[in-house]
Amino acid sequence: MEREGQTILEDINFSVQEGDFVGIIGPNGGGKTTLLKVILGLVKPSRGDVLVFGKEPEEGRHLVGYVPQERIFDRDFPLRVIDVVLMGRLRGKGMFRPYSREDMQKALEALELVEMSHLKDRQIGSLSGGELQRVLIARALVSEPKLLLLDEPTANVDLPVETEFFELLEGLRKGITIILVTHDIGVLSTYVEKIACLNRKMYYHGTKEIRPEDLEAVYGCPVDLIAHGVPHRVFREHRP
Amino acid sequence: MSLLQYEFLRNALLAGFLVSVACAIVGTLIVVRRMVFLAGGIAHVAFGGVGIGVFLGIDPIRSALVFTVLSALGMGLALERLEISEDSAIGILWAIGMAIGALFVGLTPGYVPDLMGYLFGNILMVPTGELAVMALLDLGLFAVTLSFWKELVAVSFDPEFAWVVGVRTKLINTVFLLMIATSCVMLIRAVGIVLVLALITIPAVSSRHFTKSLGWMMFISGLFGLGFVMVGLYLSFLFDIPSGATIVLVAGLAFLLLEGFKKS
């Protein structure tokens, strides 16, 4: 994967099993967002193949729900929460036709699922980071995806909100495969089942553990591995 | 209203109304998408079309319409194909459009009509026949906006997501460029190429103070536009000053007052 002569991703060879919850960590600029865009078909790889549910990304994208980074939004945009969620129902909808009663019903259900229905008529700009994140997840869920891609979902929220957020994801998971990217190692809590490290190259062993040498390769310097007690432990207990 | 006896004044008011409708629809979308500079570029490209019309001896507004629409489409293609940032592309388009206009005006032999009218507009000179064309363009804009409403909103708010859920974002962006091109040309007669930006942005920006809904923003900015045109027209008539510039200055003053009122 190259762009403007610079290699952003190379030698990426990994596959995700259906039902997995994979966390991808790596430094900023390591190609995490690009990887998601490749999976979505928004960016074409210069070499190699990407298959989404056995199909080209463009054909598989109807099975994918995408939750982009929150900061790319114009918070001034005059739109209500429910209008944003309804966008998830655009697929397969002919032009010239307004949203149907069923679309509205599904959107309300999705908001219910993320516990945001009380805010449905609120201006999107008036939401907190955590609230907006939930609304964006509702928007992705409303298209009933089989694979959910989350880009830095907890970048702008504090720790309690983050924990709640992962509990929410856990509740939504039935049958949905989740890939979550983040630069923040602390985010990868017990809920994540498998962890990959990404900085141009990917280090993935299909397990939940991070090998210190992988982390060093990815961040380019030794990283202090601190496990925050048992509930948040991502590393095997260290015995001398 | 004894002023309304004058046919040209009636036409001017009608033109003001039709222009306000176009600005309300297109201006609101431009402002929320933060594409004001793009609209400026497209408006100035129209000058190339005016020059060609003068050179060929046809109605410059007609040639400007064709030229601007083609340039807007070319711009869309260039942004897709070339590795160039949008604001650079706009700057280049802007300058080349004006240069083409100046070149053709220079090449025109003999008498060259007054170009100030195209640069700064004269809403008092809108011929009756053109009002019908403007009304048709308004209807077109209205129909297109209604038909593509959810797609236009989605592409404006989050183009990547719109693409992911299968919206034909390229088509929608092209439609939007065409909407901008036709409205800009429509505004030339009233306020002129240089002042188009004012009527596209100021009503839409002002309407933001009163609503948080895109649909209502369009409605309120239509009222603002009409108000600016009417007050400006009246003042220009009263003091015998240029109409286009007066309308824009009225809009600018209203904007400042609203902002100041909001702050305090």
Side-chain angles (χ1 to χ4, degrees):
Chain A
M1 173 66 217
E2 291 178 17
R3 191 198 285 157
E4 286 172 10
Q6 264 193 312
T7 307
I8 296 180
L9 296 170
E10 62 176 328
D11 295 339
I12 305 278
N13 187 359
F14 91 122
S15 55
V16 173
Q17 305 296 316
E18 245 179 286
D20 273 354
F21 187 164
V22 180
I24 299 176
I25 56 164
N28 286 323
K32 299 186 301 294
T33 300
T34 309
L35 180 68
L36 291 189
K37 287 185 178 174
V38 170
I39 298 173
L40 285 165
L42 275 166
V43 180
K44 295 238 179 300
S46 40
R47 259 172 305 160
D49 296 307
V50 182
L51 294 177
V52 178
F53 296 102
K55 295 181 192 133
E56 289 289 308
E58 293 217 10
E59 281 142 41
R61 65 179 170 165
H62 66 280
L63 297 167
V64 184
Y66 177 42
V67 183
Q69 279 184 51
E70 185 215 313
R71 65 167 176 275
I72 66 167
F73 293 105
D74 177 0
R75 288 200 148 230
D76 276 345
F77 204 98
L79 220 48
R80 291 171 309 161
V81 165
I82 186 75
D83 299 323
V84 175
V85 179
L86 275 169
M87 282 176 198
R89 299 289 301 173
L90 276 166
R91 186 187 322 283
K93 211 141 247 296
M95 298 185 181
F96 310 108
R97 288 180 45 206
Y99 293 111
S100 65
R101 193 178 284 265
E102 191 200 342
D103 295 329
M104 185 55 96
Q105 193 59 41
K106 295 267 185 200
L108 289 174
E109 280 168 21
L111 276 177
E112 193 78 47
L113 220 53
V114 298
E115 295 156 21
M116 286 288 114
S117 21
H118 59 293
L119 299 178
K120 71 181 169 64
D121 291 320
R122 279 273 289 279
Q123 197 57 31
I124 48 141
S126 68
L127 300 184
S128 71
E131 287 166 343
L132 182 60
Q133 203 52 253
R134 280 166 180 252
V135 169
L136 295 180
I137 288 175
R139 181 179 72 161
L141 287 176
V142 83
S143 64
E144 294 161 350
K146 292 245 175 280
L147 168 66
L148 196 58
L149 304 180
L150 300 155
D151 195 351
E152 302 273 5
T154 51
N156 292 309
V157 296
D158 45 23
L159 199 63
V161 179
E162 197 177 297
T163 308
E164 266 177 43
F165 174 80
F166 276 100
E167 272 159 18
L168 174 79
L169 273 189
E170 185 64 19
L172 297 175
R173 270 192 60 199
K174 299 162 211 92
I176 302 181
T177 312
I178 300 179
I179 300 179
L180 181 155
V181 308
T182 178
H183 68 274
D184 182 5
I185 302 177
V187 160
L188 297 174
S189 68
T190 41
Y191 299 107
V192 178
E193 283 173 345
K194 295 176 180 176
I195 293 175
C197 303
L198 178 75
N199 187 10
R200 247 180 63 195
K201 296 187 180 190
M202 184 175 267
Y203 303 83
Y204 180 54
H205 309 287
T207 62
K208 197 179 172 170
E209 276 168 49
I210 306 173
R211 298 186 187 175
E213 59 266 31
D214 287 350
L215 213 54
E216 241 178 84
V218 160
Y219 282 88
C221 62
V223 177
D224 272 333
L225 301 178
I226 304 163
H228 300 280
V230 179
H232 283 266
R233 187 185 298 280
V234 283
F235 313 110
R236 190 182 292 156
E237 210 173 331
H238 188 75
R239 287 175 210 277
Chain B
M1 285 294 271
S2 59
L3 283 178
L4 282 179
Q5 300 163 17
Y6 301 105
E7 193 197 339
F8 70 92
L9 210 55
R10 266 205 315 267
N11 279 2
L13 279 177
L14 206 51
F17 170 74
L18 295 170
V19 156
S20 307
V21 172
C23 289
I25 296 174
V26 179
T28 303
L29 286 170
I30 291 173
V31 165
V32 297
R33 276 189 89 163
R34 306 194 179 189
M35 290 171 79
V36 172
F37 191 47
L38 174 73
I42 290 179
H44 282 77
V45 152
F47 188 68
V50 168
I52 293 173
V54 167
F55 177 72
L56 295 176
I58 56 175
D59 179 2
I61 294 290
R62 301 274 152 83
S63 55
L65 186 61
V66 175
F67 187 77
T68 313
V69 162
L70 291 178
S71 308
L73 292 178
M75 168 90 169
L77 275 180
L79 282 176
E80 234 171 73
R81 301 276 155 84
L82 307 177
E83 301 254 322
I84 178 172
S85 74
E86 188 168 293
D87 71 325
S88 309
I90 293 166
I92 293 165
L93 179 89
W94 186 310
I96 290 181
M98 296 292 285
I100 290 176
L103 184 73
F104 276 100
V105 168
L107 287 174
T108 307
Y111 170 75
V112 172
D114 178 26
L115 290 174
M116 284 290 276
Y118 295 105
L119 287 175
F120 298 99
N122 191 348
I123 201 167
L124 297 168
M125 296 285 279
V126 182
T128 312
E130 201 160 299
L131 289 175
V133 178
M134 289 167 87
L136 222 59
L137 283 177
D138 270 355
L139 276 177
L141 287 175
F142 193 70
V144 167
T145 310
L146 219 55
S147 311
F148 297 108
W149 179 256
K150 58 190 192 318
E151 287 81 10
L152 278 169
V153 172
V155 170
S156 306
F157 177 64
D158 186 352
E160 271 181 1
F161 185 84
W163 188 90
V164 169
V165 291
V167 173
R168 299 175 64 185
T169 47
K170 273 182 198 166
L171 176 71
I172 295 297
N173 279 331
T174 307
V175 167
F176 188 48
L177 280 174
L178 291 180
M179 289 168 73
I180 298 176
T182 44
S183 334
C184 283
V185 174
M186 198 173 143
L187 285 167
I188 291 177
R189 199 70 90 170
V191 287
I193 288 165
V194 180
L195 307 179
V196 163
L197 281 184
L199 279 195
I200 280 185
T201 50
I202 298 176
V205 171
S206 306
S207 71
R208 271 207 159 160
H209 293 307
F210 300 94
T211 178
K212 298 278 186 201
S213 133
L214 199 60
W216 280 105
M217 249 183 93
M218 286 186 182
F219 182 75
I220 295 172
S221 82
L223 294 181
F224 269 118
L226 189 60
F228 297 154
V229 170
M230 279 170 59
V231 174
L233 204 55
Y234 179 73
L235 292 179
S236 86
F237 197 75
L238 202 63
F239 298 110
D240 192 22
I241 46 181
S243 59
T246 314
I247 291 168
V248 170
L249 289 176
V250 166
L253 193 67
F255 167 76
L256 286 179
L257 285 176
L258 271 171
E259 290 295 316
F261 191 68
K262 198 78 185 175
K263 279 263 143 57
S264 65

